[in-house]
Amino acid sequence: MSYSPEQISIMDSIIARYPRKRSAIMPLLHFVQSISGFVTPEGIEKIAELLELSTAEVTAVSTFYTQYKPEPVGEYHVGICTNTLCAVMGGDAIFDAVSEHLGIANDETTKDGKVSLERIECNAACDYAPVVMVNWEFFDNQTIQSVKDLVDGARTGNPPAPTRGPKTLRTWKENSAVLAGLSDGLAGEGPSAGHASLLGLNLSKEGK
Amino acid sequence: MTPENAVMTDVEMVTVVIDGFDVTVPKGTLVIRAAEKLGIQIPRFCDHPLLSPAGACRQCLVDIEINGRAFPKPQASCTIPVENGMIVKTQLTSEVADKAQKGIMELLLINHPLDCPVCDKGGECPLQNQAMSNGRSESRYEGVKRTFEKPVSISSQVLLDRERCVLCARCTRFSEEIAGDPFITLNERGALQQVGIYEKDPFLSYFSGNTVQICPVGALTGASYRFRSRPFDLVSTPSACEHCASGCSMRTDVRRGKTLRRLAGEDAEVNEEWNCDKGRWAFKYISSKERIAGPMVRGEDGELHEASWPQALARAAAGLKGKRAGVLVGGRSTVEDAYAYAKFARVALNTNDIDFRSRLHSDEEAVFLASRGVNFNVSYRDLDKADHVVLVDFEPEDESPIVFLRLYKQVRKRGLKVTTLSPVLSRGSEKLGAAIVEDIASISGLSEKSVIVVGERAAEVIGQFTSVVKLAQSTKAKVAWIPRRAGEVGAVVAGAIGNLLPGGRPVADPAARVDIASVWGVESLPAAHGKATWEILEAAGDGRLDAVVIGGVDPLDISSEALGQLLGASTFVLSLEISHSAITAIADVVLPVAAVSEKSGSFLNWEGRPRFFEKAIADSLTRSDLRILSMLADEMGTPINLPSSQAAAKELQSIGEWDGAKADAPSVSPATLTAPSGDQAILHSWRQLLDLGTLQNGEPNLAGTARAAHVLISANRAKSLGLSNGDLVKVSTARGSITAPAQIGKISDSAIWVPRNSIGSQCIANLGAASGLVVTVVKA
């Protein structure tokens, strides 16, 4: 596939945000994912051309960060934290149960293309452990059942709302566009800091 | 030592203590280098003096304290510059440093296979050596080692065994910083981190072989050497590269009479520690099946037959003695061989009809060379210090790769200004950030610190040398002439051209002739201005010459008619060649000569710097050109007395440089070109570094990385022809045509460019000319 003039002009506008072209590599990789769902060879070649980098240099960046996917992922990419705290709080159990429930292993996608599964590293939300992220939106204090419900909802096109963040869960491609710096206008929607994060602050305000 | 080499006193010096010894070094020196000054070797992998510090392998950890405050942990000595008051303790005096190094070594070896017995690097491997000197004697690791599919071809000539890699990033830093070809990168992360290419774009760098040489483990290997030899079975000889006028120092590794590999040698003034892939890998021509085994004489049946040396020499002498003969030396002779040709022409053949230029050439060029003398007074250091370098009909990456690396280094380091007089912005020029100028009159901003580099292709543009000399005179800029072939500068100095005798003596000057006649012990020397290559060929064709002596010459380098001219008028042809060629096919007598690795001698690089080399293949029985010419001159009764290259070098040295008046600079008016219209365009071409050159024969891995032929056209021309990238274009003249994929690039609308001698694009053979010609360009 080749990129449309509209898509190219969006890429140019992303590049124009930076004093040096090459700085735009990461948002452009997200932009490529917002179109194709993963980092395609065409995307790498286009980014290399636009940023005057070699294709190898673009490959180096896109393979370094696990957020850039070399293969298509699901419309809802489910990341289950299995770092220490989440793991002992139930993350490992959730992963195993959901993996069996969906019949897919780590880094695999369901046949309908709706859901993919990944063991992810810490998302800085240990106070809500075990944490699951779908398309990088937080689902806090999860249980096996809640995540099963989550993925079942996702497969029927009716996923529950994230605990924090926007009121409706956006797709992988839609959120990739946000990461590319293209606002969907939802940044202010829903809570950001939750109860557990603010507990200490509130206690200190109460003078306790 | 030149004054520039001397220690400069205005550099701030810093004194540090390493292992109890004081050492004073310039500020900014890395701890690992300062330790080297004391003879203390800290183990390392990623550190390389010519690459930027990376601190990637962590092997060089040492304990450091400054003014009484110690770093809490051992530090990488390859990334930390010295400071006053610094106390460094290496593995020799610090148990902590020693333990840290041993720990790193153990970590590096966890996933490193124990395949040293089958690894190319085994026996000369920094990892193997330092594992012995700074590691544990026994492994404690009992787990399963990480493995990768092996090997991966990152190009047709470089193979990668990822499990051997210690991720030092030497190869990736070299490619980016030195060659400007960031086609290999560190991909993935964590335990899967690995060197790699983008899957569709192989490692097509002209300098890729250097990564194999600097790899501190056996991760990168050369396809042509892989599994071929053990380093301790090789006999190494310091040598000089025969491929171009850059003048690389090299090392030739031979086992039982056969060259197995060549490496870049170290010469800080010339190639630093690098060379190009042609210099490294194009040496199989020596062992080609086409190699001529013994003398051959054409019989009455019209076929070449093997003959004894006395028979062949007698036949050659009969064909030349007392005849009107010309000499075509070829551009690849050593200085000594060129001198023998020069002396042979004057003494044995009594003529100045000798020319080393086996390519497009002009009288204006010969005048330029004569007016320039033999003390060029321009060097790589002038390029290093230049405020502006102008390239005239010269593409350094293709035509003199080390000149390219030196320029690129300055472009990267300090933004050296480069201007190229060309209608084409080549890939090399793009890397140099060069500005394109199409007219010499619009070049500005030159000073006495500038260098104008003029290539051999200036001979293809009428008036170009004249303009260059004028520009240099008016701006005081220096002029460097950088021909492509390794033998050309030496041939000028040796007098292998019709208007010059050895040492830059003008043939036209009676005093110069007396000079040389007395050294050579002859009554007098011919006074007539000698014919140029094209005139010699023309005279051979129409019977004005009876005989031609031809060294290493490809007639299609000169013109499409050259071969036919040699066939005409029953000219006697004596060919001195390495391998069978178009010339040997028509020669009356063929005498086999030694290749560079089979003889000793020297080249002069473009600076005029001698590049000596010893005989690498010690037991070779082949004879050099000068030995054969000497025997032939004896047979003719006009001896030239040059039994060895040492004798020739000594005699040439004793002649010395001409101190009389030099020839006047050329004065030729530029031709006015008619602007092409419609489908027509002006043809431009040069030889790519890797192409169909004779000396690249027999090395398919190297040929696999040559840039494919394409027709470079401007966006406007593409639009008017309805062409996109990759569509076939036909470039034609009355003689023939070249059809190749279009590449839309930065080139003047009135011009097109094709490679001069690549597969599918041989300008002289296919089009009858190589540049300046009006051609027709249509969609194929």
Side-chain angles (χ1 to χ4, degrees):
Chain A
M1 64 160 269
S2 59
Y3 293 97
S4 68
E6 292 74 29
Q7 288 165 339
I8 299 286
S9 88
I10 292 172
M11 292 199 227
D12 286 337
S13 72
I14 292 172
I15 295 166
R17 291 176 192 162
Y18 298 91
R20 295 176 68 197
K21 280 183 169 187
R22 59 188 294 150
S23 305
I25 186 166
M26 299 192 48
L28 287 186
L29 284 164
H30 282 301
F31 183 70
V32 164
Q33 296 204 120
S34 79
I35 295 165
S36 309
F38 68 108
V39 179
T40 57
E42 293 78 9
I44 288 180
E45 288 155 27
K46 181 48 86 179
I47 292 172
E49 178 196 322
L50 291 174
L51 302 187
E52 293 171 19
L53 294 171
S54 72
T55 46
E57 288 172 307
V58 180
T59 307
V61 173
S62 77
T63 57
F64 180 82
Y65 294 102
T66 53
Q67 284 85 347
Y68 299 125
K69 304 298 179 190
E71 305 283 344
V73 293
E75 200 174 315
Y76 296 95
H77 184 63
V78 178
I80 299 169
C81 178
T82 53
N83 275 178
T84 314
L85 186 67
C86 283
V88 298
M89 295 289 281
D92 277 346
I94 294 173
F95 186 91
D96 292 344
V98 173
S99 173
E100 193 187 327
H101 179 69
L102 293 171
I104 55 174
N106 185 37
D107 281 340
E108 287 182 2
T109 307
T110 54
K111 282 198 182 114
D112 57 10
K114 289 287 184 188
V115 175
S116 50
L117 210 52
E118 182 186 359
R119 288 178 183 276
I120 55 171
E121 307 290 325
C122 185
N123 287 279
C126 306
D127 39 0
Y128 305 103
V131 170
V132 168
M133 294 194 94
V134 181
N135 300 340
W136 314 119
E137 301 290 0
F138 281 111
F139 289 80
D140 299 336
N141 301 313
Q142 293 298 289
T143 62
I144 291 177
Q145 192 53 49
S146 71
V147 183
K148 279 186 180 171
D149 292 345
L150 168 64
V151 297
D152 288 345
R155 294 186 80 173
T156 54
N158 188 26
T163 318
R164 290 171 280 154
K167 287 172 189 155
T168 44
L169 180 60
R170 312 273 288 169
T171 65
W172 168 260
K173 287 183 183 177
E174 286 166 342
N175 269 0
S176 292
V178 175
L179 290 170
L182 308 173
S183 173
D184 59 2
L186 303 178
E189 202 176 284
S192 49
H195 172 71
S197 304
L198 299 174
L199 191 57
L201 177 70
N202 291 334
L203 285 173
S204 72
K205 279 182 181 164
E206 289 166 25
K208 286 181 183 169
Chain B
M1 194 181 267
T2 64
E4 293 141 331
N5 261 335
V7 177
M8 286 187 281
T9 47
D10 56 347
V11 173
E12 193 184 332
M13 302 299 278
V14 171
T15 300
V16 291
V17 181
I18 301 178
D19 291 340
F21 298 98
D22 280 8
V23 61
T24 302
V25 292
K27 189 179 163 77
T29 303
L30 298 168
V31 170
I32 199 169
R33 295 277 105 68
E36 282 171 3
K37 286 206 79 178
L38 286 169
I40 294 168
Q41 195 196 345
I42 300 168
R44 81 289 300 264
F45 298 108
C46 70
D47 172 68
H48 192 288
L50 297 176
L51 302 175
S52 61
C57 75
R58 316 308 293 175
Q59 187 58 55
C60 64
L61 296 175
V62 295
D63 255 354
I64 299 178
E65 73 173 68
I66 304 174
N67 298 326
R69 294 187 61 184
F71 277 94
K73 291 191 287 186
Q75 299 296 307
S77 59
C78 73
T79 57
I80 295 194
V82 291
E83 298 281 353
N84 275 316
M86 188 181 261
I87 297 174
V88 177
K89 289 182 177 169
T90 73
Q91 72 279 5
L92 300 177
T93 55
S94 161
E95 280 182 25
V96 172
D98 188 50
K99 178 144 196 219
Q101 290 177 7
K102 288 203 159 83
I104 294 292
M105 181 64 77
E106 191 168 18
L107 202 63
L108 291 178
L109 290 175
I110 279 182
N111 277 318
H112 190 84
L114 285 174
D115 64 347
C116 308
V118 297
C119 175
D120 281 354
K121 207 80 177 182
E124 56 176 14
C125 175
L127 180 58
Q128 198 178 32
N129 295 347
Q130 295 181 122
M132 307 294 263
S133 61
N134 299 80
R136 303 172 62 89
S137 50
E138 291 281 327
S139 171
R140 295 188 294 181
Y141 185 67
E142 290 173 351
V144 178
K145 289 186 188 251
R146 177 199 55 201
T147 55
F148 283 110
E149 181 199 331
K150 65 181 286 177
V152 177
S153 288
I154 56 175
S155 74
S156 66
Q157 59 198 1
V158 181
L159 302 171
L160 168 65
D161 292 284
R162 290 168 290 176
E163 75 287 354
R164 290 179 184 156
C165 177
V166 294
L167 302 170
C168 71
R170 274 186 175 189
C171 56
T172 52
R173 278 179 290 154
F174 170 84
S175 303
E176 185 189 344
E177 296 169 13
I178 307 294
D181 293 330
F183 307 144
I184 53 172
T185 45
L186 283 172
N187 297 342
E188 304 286 346
R189 67 192 302 177
L192 287 178
Q193 194 178 25
Q194 55 187 276
V195 173
I197 51 173
Y198 174 61
E199 54 190 337
K200 293 186 203 164
D201 294 335
F203 186 28
L204 297 187
S205 169
Y206 284 161
F207 306 97
S208 67
N210 294 293
T211 64
V212 175
Q213 187 169 341
I214 62 174
C215 179
V217 298
L220 293 170
T221 50
S224 62
Y225 176 72
R226 193 175 164 90
F227 300 138
R228 296 291 297 280
S229 179
R230 312 299 304 168
F232 33 81
D233 289 334
L234 299 169
V235 176
S236 302
T237 309
S239 44
C241 188
E242 73 274 37
H243 286 292
C244 85
S246 285
C248 285
S249 165
M250 285 206 319
R251 190 182 106 187
T252 301
D253 285 353
V254 172
R255 185 185 61 189
R256 292 196 291 278
K258 198 170 176 189
T259 304
L260 283 178
R261 68 171 176 183
R262 306 204 302 187
L263 302 171
E266 284 185 33
D267 189 332
E269 295 296 315
V270 180
N271 55 311
E272 302 190 298
E273 299 180 26
W274 318 121
N275 73 348
C276 73
D277 288 354
K278 182 154 82 170
R280 183 178 301 267
W281 282 312
F283 58 83
K284 294 278 175 66
Y285 68 91
I286 304 164
S287 40
S288 144
K289 281 180 189 146
E290 298 298 310
R291 198 69 204 267
I292 304 161
M296 302 187 91
V297 169
R298 196 164 298 279
E300 284 179 0
D301 57 358
E303 299 292 318
L304 279 180
H305 298 280
E306 287 180 16
S308 69
W309 276 98
Q311 276 176 321
L313 288 171
R315 176 76 183 277
L320 295 173
K321 193 172 164 62
K323 301 283 170 57
R324 297 168 302 171
V327 180
L328 300 178
V329 182
R332 297 205 175 89
S333 294
T334 63
V335 179
E336 295 79 10
D337 285 339
Y339 177 68
Y341 279 106
K343 190 173 178 182
F344 182 83
R346 275 71 181 226
V347 173
L349 302 175
N350 192 34
T351 180
N352 286 315
D353 292 347
I354 176 169
D355 200 342
F356 67 85
R357 295 172 297 170
S358 169
R359 52 173 171 79
L360 302 179
H361 55 283
S362 69
D363 286 343
E364 184 190 3
E365 180 191 34
V367 175
F368 165 78
L369 294 175
S371 67
R372 194 166 165 254
V374 294
N375 183 1
F376 309 135
N377 192 28
V378 59
S379 69
Y380 280 111
R381 274 180 180 263
D382 292 309
L383 297 180
D384 289 350
K385 294 183 297 186
D387 61 355
H388 187 181
V389 171
V390 177
L391 310 174
V392 178
D393 301 312
F394 177 61
E395 285 296 330
E397 199 186 25
D398 282 309
E399 297 179 311
S400 207
I402 299 305
V403 174
F404 171 81
L405 290 189
R406 291 289 284 259
L407 290 174
Y408 185 67
K409 185 179 183 178
Q410 296 305 321
V411 168
R412 239 184 111 89
K413 192 167 142 191
R414 60 182 179 91
L416 167 66
K417 186 179 170 194
V418 179
T419 302
T420 179
L421 179 66
S422 171
V424 185
L425 189 71
S426 65
R427 214 174 78 78
S429 295
E430 212 163 344
K431 285 199 268 180
L432 294 175
I436 282 196
V437 175
E438 283 199 59
D439 175 9
I440 203 160
S442 39
I443 295 172
S444 59
L446 290 175
S447 75
E448 71 278 7
K449 283 185 73 186
S450 308
V451 182
I452 305 168
V453 182
V454 56
E456 64 183 32
R457 286 181 290 111
E460 297 161 20
V461 183
I462 297 166
Q464 195 81 308
F465 283 108
T466 307
S467 312
V468 165
V469 171
K470 275 188 192 152
L471 181 64
Q473 278 166 351
S474 65
T475 58
K476 300 197 171 63
K478 290 190 169 187
V479 176
W481 178 64
I482 308 189
R484 236 169 35 86
R485 288 180 174 137
E488 297 210 351
V489 175
V492 172
V493 173
I497 185 165
N499 60 344
L500 284 180
L501 292 168
R505 285 167 177 73
V507 161
D509 192 319
R513 296 200 302 275
V514 169
D515 247 15
I516 300 296
S518 71
V519 176
W520 288 348
V522 291
E523 286 284 304
S524 66
L525 290 177
H529 188 289
K531 295 182 182 68
T533 300
W534 71 271
E535 291 167 313
I536 291 172
L537 289 166
E538 201 175 79
D542 64 22
R544 281 178 290 133
L545 285 180
D546 307 313
V548 193
V549 178
I550 306 180
V553 168
D554 180 346
L556 274 177
D557 286 347
I558 305 163
S559 75
S560 51
E561 294 91 38
L563 198 61
Q565 287 168 330
L566 288 171
L567 273 170
S570 65
T571 318
F572 177 82
V573 176
L574 167 62
S575 169
L576 285 79
E577 256 297 2
I578 294 175
S579 297
H580 284 291
S581 71
I583 299 285
T584 63
I586 59 159
D588 295 281
V589 177
V590 177
L591 300 176
V593 296
V596 164
S597 54
E598 298 162 339
K599 62 186 176 188
S600 63
S602 67
F603 292 112
L604 293 182
N605 77 347
W606 65 270
E607 306 164 283
R609 187 190 298 271
R611 314 304 292 160
F612 296 102
F613 57 89
E614 290 303 314
K615 189 171 173 178
I617 302 177
D619 49 2
S620 169
L621 296 174
T622 49
R623 296 173 163 102
S624 62
D625 300 52
L626 72 94
R627 183 85 190 88
I628 292 166
L629 290 171
S630 209
M631 292 192 297
L632 180 56
D634 286 346
E635 182 77 21
M636 291 165 69
T638 45
I640 60 169
N641 299 319
L642 297 173
S644 67
S645 68
Q646 291 82 350
K650 206 172 156 190
E651 190 172 300
L652 181 56
Q653 203 185 5
S654 75
I655 289 172
E657 190 189 328
W658 172 241
D659 52 8
K662 289 174 194 156
D664 290 337
S667 176
V668 177
S669 313
T672 40
L673 292 174
T674 45
S677 58
D679 286 349
Q680 294 190 322
I682 307 270
L683 173 69
H684 287 271
S685 73
W686 61 76
R687 285 162 181 271
Q688 296 183 300
L689 182 74
L690 302 176
D691 63 3
L692 291 168
T694 317
L695 296 192
Q696 295 165 60
N697 285 348
E699 187 45 81
N701 297 319
L702 176 66
T705 64
R707 294 175 188 166
H710 60 267
V711 181
L712 188 71
I713 56 173
S714 71
N716 285 338
R717 184 176 293 273
K719 202 174 167 189
S720 68
L721 290 174
L723 286 166
S724 328
N725 266 329
D727 291 349
L728 287 179
V729 192
K730 185 174 175 186
V731 178
S732 50
T733 62
R735 184 185 163 86
S737 68
I738 287 171
T739 303
Q743 186 178 313
I744 301 163
K746 289 169 188 151
I747 180 167
S748 150
D749 285 339
S750 62
I752 61 121
W753 180 91
V754 292
R756 188 168 286 191
N757 192 33
S758 295
I759 295 171
S761 178
Q762 291 176 275
C763 290
I764 291 178
N766 301 146
L767 303 175
S771 80
L773 192 71
V774 174
V775 292
T776 306
V777 185
V778 294
K779 190 171 181 170

